Amino acid sequence: MTLLTARDIRELAADIGLRPTKQKGQNFVIDPNTVRSIVTAAGLEENSNVVEIGPGLGSLTLGLLEAGHRVTAVEIDELLAQKLPSTVARFAGSDAPFQLVNADALRVTTLPAPQHTTEAVTDTPESAANQPDALVANLPYNVAVPVLLHFLETFPSLTTVLVMVQLEVAERLAAAPGSRTYGVPSVKAQWYGDVQLAGKIGKNVFWPAPNIDSGLVRIDVTRTDRDPEVRGRLFALIDSAFAQRRKTLRAALSGWAGSPQQSEDLLTAAGIDPKTRGEALTVADFQRLAAVAVGDGGASNADAAAPAPPAEDPSP
């Protein structure tokens, strides 16, 4: 199988009259060696069932197929979605284990069962649900974190995630407690499993070249308890803790808890210094505090708490 070169990418774009736009986060990988390094970094089991978000013109799609994996690609852009099946058929063969879903990734809640076809799929009936075990993608920079968290929440079958995002976002996702970049995306992603910065990608392997470098983030998903109510309460707490990150937790969580004093009482009960700040807490700390709040049974319960102030923006 031949992977796409810079010349191929430009020819495919010209065929459909595509002009990449910053608004859509369209930066296409033009270097086959980079594609293979991304696939290798994913460390997938043989013949994995992979979901790819934002396949674009097909560079990473073909790399995944070359490695022997099954691919379900989710593409929102209708122009790209119309072109990709013929590209896969041309470079990987008409019998490649590939299917395309033309949809907004943030609205996808089910995927069709894997098929040996290059035809686009327009609906995703529950009876034919697909449970992917890996997510590998060059995520559009403008929606990277929301899309990542949505898929982690929606598809508990995922065990491995390898995504390429803006380097700054990659560093935030993998940040450790106490660091300047540790925040809402860090805690929420790390709730699902072990998050690591898996590599850096330079600007020159993209067309058009972005203004910033990219980073690879790998998540080994270990979370088995997916109670949506527990997650909802926990994530609301995380949002509140970082909404005013310069404030102590006693002050930052006063709205969530019901008052500064209730905030202090809950923090103390959870073994957390009320004078500390959100960036000092681990995932386990947040979980313990959320559990104490539920056990308290008062206004601190997330269902009864006052609305939290706007959270730190989790997107790039």
Side-chain angles (χ1 to χ4, degrees):
M1 184 185 302
T2 303
L3 300 190
L4 299 180
T5 63
R7 180 177 179 179
D8 294 326
I9 290 291
R10 290 186 173 88
E11 287 180 351
L12 290 170
D15 286 346
I16 57 177
L18 174 69
R19 291 186 177 182
T21 66
K22 183 177 181 180
Q23 181 181 9
K24 294 182 179 180
Q26 293 175 327
N27 300 96
F28 305 109
V29 181
I30 58 176
D31 177 44
N33 290 330
T34 298
V35 170
R36 291 190 175 101
S37 70
I38 294 171
V39 175
T40 299
L44 303 180
E45 297 289 335
E46 185 177 353
N47 192 32
S48 287
N49 180 16
V50 182
V51 59
E52 180 190 7
I53 301 167
L57 291 167
S59 297
L60 183 55
T61 308
L62 293 173
L64 290 164
L65 292 171
E66 179 188 59
H69 305 302
R70 293 165 288 154
V71 179
T72 298
V74 180
E75 176 58 63
I76 188 174
D77 189 291
E78 188 170 346
L79 191 64
L80 291 170
Q82 291 175 348
K83 181 63 177 178
L84 186 56
S86 63
T87 300
V88 170
R90 172 185 166 190
F91 287 88
S94 59
D95 60 346
F98 163 83
Q99 62 183 353
L100 175 69
V101 176
N102 184 193
D104 181 350
L106 285 170
R107 296 179 179 274
V108 169
T109 56
T110 60
L111 294 169
Q115 301 174 3
H116 289 268
T117 177
T118 56
E119 294 300 316
V121 178
T122 56
D123 59 359
T124 55
E126 291 285 350
S127 59
N130 179 353
Q131 299 298 323
D133 48 50
L135 164 62
V136 182
N138 173 18
L139 291 178
Y141 288 171
N142 53 347
V143 293
V145 172
V147 166
L148 173 61
L149 293 176
H150 172 67
F151 268 70
L152 284 168
E153 173 186 344
T154 305
F155 296 98
S157 58
L158 291 171
T159 59
T160 302
V161 173
L162 193 287
V163 293
M164 179 159 57
V165 295
Q166 181 179 333
L167 181 58
E168 178 186 351
V169 175
E171 291 172 341
R172 290 172 65 189
L173 286 167
S179 67
R180 182 181 59 83
T181 52
Y182 185 72
V184 170
S186 320
V187 187
K188 290 183 178 180
Q190 291 169 33
W191 180 76
Y192 287 100
D194 181 46
V195 183
Q196 299 290 333
L197 186 63
K200 298 180 181 180
I201 306 294
K203 309 170 188 177
N204 295 332
V205 300
F206 295 95
W207 175 76
N211 296 324
I212 51 177
D213 289 335
S214 302
L216 296 177
V217 174
R218 179 186 172 91
I219 304 176
D220 293 310
V221 183
T222 57
R223 173 64 54 185
T224 55
D225 179 9
R226 299 295 188 94
D227 186 314
E229 291 187 5
V230 172
R231 183 187 63 244
R233 288 193 294 265
L234 176 65
F235 282 16
L237 167 59
I238 294 167
D239 288 338
S240 295
F242 286 100
Q244 303 174 75
R245 64 182 298 149
R246 291 187 177 182
K247 291 188 175 183
T248 65
L249 284 172
R250 183 185 189 276
L253 296 179
S254 60
W256 167 83
S259 72
Q261 186 58 53
Q262 285 181 297
S263 173
E264 180 175 342
D265 292 344
L266 288 170
L267 287 160
T268 300
I272 299 169
D273 183 353
K275 296 180 181 179
T276 195
R277 292 180 172 81
E279 61 261 31
L281 270 58
T282 65
V283 174
D285 291 332
F286 278 110
Q287 288 182 288
R288 191 170 64 255
L289 179 56
V292 167
V294 173
D296 178 74
S300 57
N301 187 301
D303 293 331
E312 172 187 289
D313 186 3
S315 60

